[in-house]
Amino acid sequence: MQTSQFAVTEGDFRSLFIRDVLDGLQQPQKSLPSKYFYDSQGSQYFDQICSLNEYYPYRTELSMLPDVARDLNSILQDPWEIVEFGAGSLVKIRLLLQQLDNIEHYVPIDIAGDHLRQASDRLQQEFPQLTVLPIEADFTQPAPLPETLPLPKLGFFPGSTIGNFSPEQAQFFLSNIRQSLGDHSRLLIGVDTKKDPSVLHNAYNDSMGVTAAFNRNILNHINRICGADFDPQAFAHYAFYNPVAGRIEMHLISTLAQQVSIDDQMIAFSEGENIHTENSYKYTPDEFLALAATSGWERERIWLDKAQMFSVFLLSAR
Ligand code: AVJ
């Protein structure tokens, strides 16, 4: 397995992180970029969320992927390269690789480098014929893909991670990967659907409190990397579905008036003040196809589970 030259150094990561955190917390409406949930503890919490019955997106998409892979195998005739954005624990790619005969290269991109490298080593051992090229990078930043063989590229973006972007950011992201994947590329993307708001609500307010711990953990991550002194227990988890915006919003709400120091800056919180930590947009299939179309991608296939809880799209570069 090769390692990539694209990894940012620890110092770069720290100074960008501090800048993002201070930018977000110095606005009148405080916010934090949701990508900073994923330190190794956060990745573990997320894996735990995925095992919860209330969190339907993960298991629904997972249950669809064997069918998707079977259909896809008859569509992809020549050798292909798969590039996965935000690859996490590399569970879903296995369901594709088990059925796809024509994948020569796999390039998983993830911000959590150690987690990614460990998972990539295991995958490489299971699929010795495949070339696995993990890249530790922030896939939300436009970046060139590594130069590999001139294989057509299938982007893979499962899990409705696209929902973390606003529709404008999603359009920007989809246009960017349309450029970097190239003219004959395709994109396999999982998108959470609009549905009964109580089902949505429960998925982000689980009874075990794992989502709450995941939300608060962003403060631990900031403490560790940015030298801050947040008390995560002094913030309450609050998540709700906003039907006007079509999104779940997650917030951390200060339970008291407090001051936090971050890299020599003091940030003041009044009692009840919130930090907006995440959006998770939900799309009807038509809404999503319209968004994709403005970014150079056209519909090739759609899969929906029986209860229409989740959608998977195969798009092709126009
Ligand atoms: C990984 C962004 C798809 O939005 O459902 C899970 C993250 N946040 N529970 C989502 C998440 C709270 C998840 N995504």
Side-chain angles (χ1 to χ4, degrees):
M1 191 179 69
Q2 296 165 247
T3 44
S4 82
Q5 64 277 40
F6 290 83
V8 288
T9 68
E10 250 167 66
D12 288 346
F13 179 74
R14 181 171 188 272
S15 47
L16 289 172
F17 193 171
I18 292 175
R19 204 191 56 197
D20 284 347
V21 165
L22 289 175
D23 274 359
L25 296 182
Q26 286 169 342
Q27 305 296 321
Q29 169 60 69
K30 294 180 169 73
S31 68
L32 288 168
S34 53
K35 64 187 177 191
Y36 293 122
F37 282 130
Y38 302 94
D39 63 353
S40 64
Q41 178 66 59
S43 301
Q44 282 177 32
Y45 278 133
F46 183 66
D47 286 351
Q48 247 178 287
I49 288 172
C50 290
S51 72
L52 297 169
N53 200 38
E54 292 142 309
Y55 192 72
Y56 65 86
Y58 180 80
R59 71 181 140 76
T60 307
E61 186 184 50
L62 209 65
S63 74
M64 297 166 71
L65 286 180
D67 283 353
V68 169
R70 192 178 25 78
D71 295 348
L72 202 54
N73 196 41
S74 55
I75 297 173
L76 304 180
Q77 297 300 341
D78 306 314
W80 281 74
E81 171 174 306
I82 296 183
V83 179
E84 181 170 358
F85 302 95
S89 302
L90 309 189
V91 173
K92 291 168 186 168
I93 189 65
R94 284 181 168 75
L95 296 176
L96 300 187
L97 293 173
Q98 279 157 13
Q99 299 205 55
L100 296 179
D101 300 321
N102 289 324
I103 308 304
E104 294 200 353
H105 281 178
Y106 172 53
V107 179
I109 306 173
D110 204 281
I111 194 171
D114 293 336
H115 198 74
L116 175 68
R117 277 182 292 273
Q118 286 168 23
S120 297
D121 283 339
R122 285 193 298 270
L123 186 81
Q124 181 67 86
Q125 284 164 21
E126 278 169 55
F127 295 89
Q129 313 295 1
L130 182 73
T131 306
V132 182
L133 287 154
I135 299 184
E136 175 179 4
D138 177 359
F139 69 81
T140 66
Q141 300 306 116
L145 294 169
E147 287 291 333
T148 50
L149 293 177
L151 296 171
K153 291 178 177 51
L154 172 68
F156 184 38
F157 196 35
S160 203
T161 306
I162 190 82
N164 275 174
F165 295 127
S166 68
E168 298 69 35
Q169 292 167 329
Q171 212 170 13
F172 179 75
F173 172 77
L174 291 171
S175 306
N176 269 312
I177 64 170
R178 163 71 187 77
Q179 288 317 307
S180 55
L181 293 173
D183 275 344
H184 304 289
S185 60
R186 288 182 167 113
L187 176 64
L188 187 69
I189 181 167
V191 181
D192 199 6
T193 57
K194 287 203 163 103
K195 60 181 64 66
D196 180 342
S198 66
V199 173
L200 289 168
H201 186 91
N202 291 341
Y204 295 84
N205 290 278
D206 66 273
S207 52
M208 303 263 290
V210 184
T211 308
F214 172 75
N215 196 5
R216 286 195 190 95
N217 181 63
I218 198 170
L219 303 180
N220 291 323
H221 193 194
I222 294 169
N223 284 348
R224 192 163 41 76
I225 306 292
C226 311
D229 63 357
F230 274 106
D231 172 11
Q233 293 315 314
F235 289 84
H237 166 70
Y238 192 70
F240 65 95
Y241 183 61
N242 174 343
V244 179
R247 67 191 189 202
I248 288 279
E249 295 184 17
M250 292 217 308
H251 299 264
L252 288 166
I253 302 188
S254 179
T255 58
L256 70 168
Q258 56 182 322
Q259 295 226 9
V260 175
S261 99
I262 304 167
D263 188 47
D264 303 336
Q265 304 271 341
M266 293 302 278
I267 304 287
F269 293 88
S270 41
E271 181 178 351
E273 187 174 0
N274 72 309
I275 311 172
H276 190 174
T277 52
E278 186 174 49
N279 286 321
S280 188
Y281 280 85
K282 314 302 174 187
Y283 294 94
T284 67
D286 285 345
E287 283 171 346
F288 186 72
L289 285 171
L291 181 79
T294 62
S295 312
W297 293 103
E298 65 189 22
R299 169 198 173 130
E300 196 165 338
R301 269 211 70 151
I302 304 184
W303 298 263
L304 283 158
D305 64 303
K306 263 215 198 81
Q308 315 216 340
M309 300 283 271
F310 202 86
S311 54
V312 177
F313 296 80
L314 179 65
L315 305 172
S316 52
R318 189 164 14 81

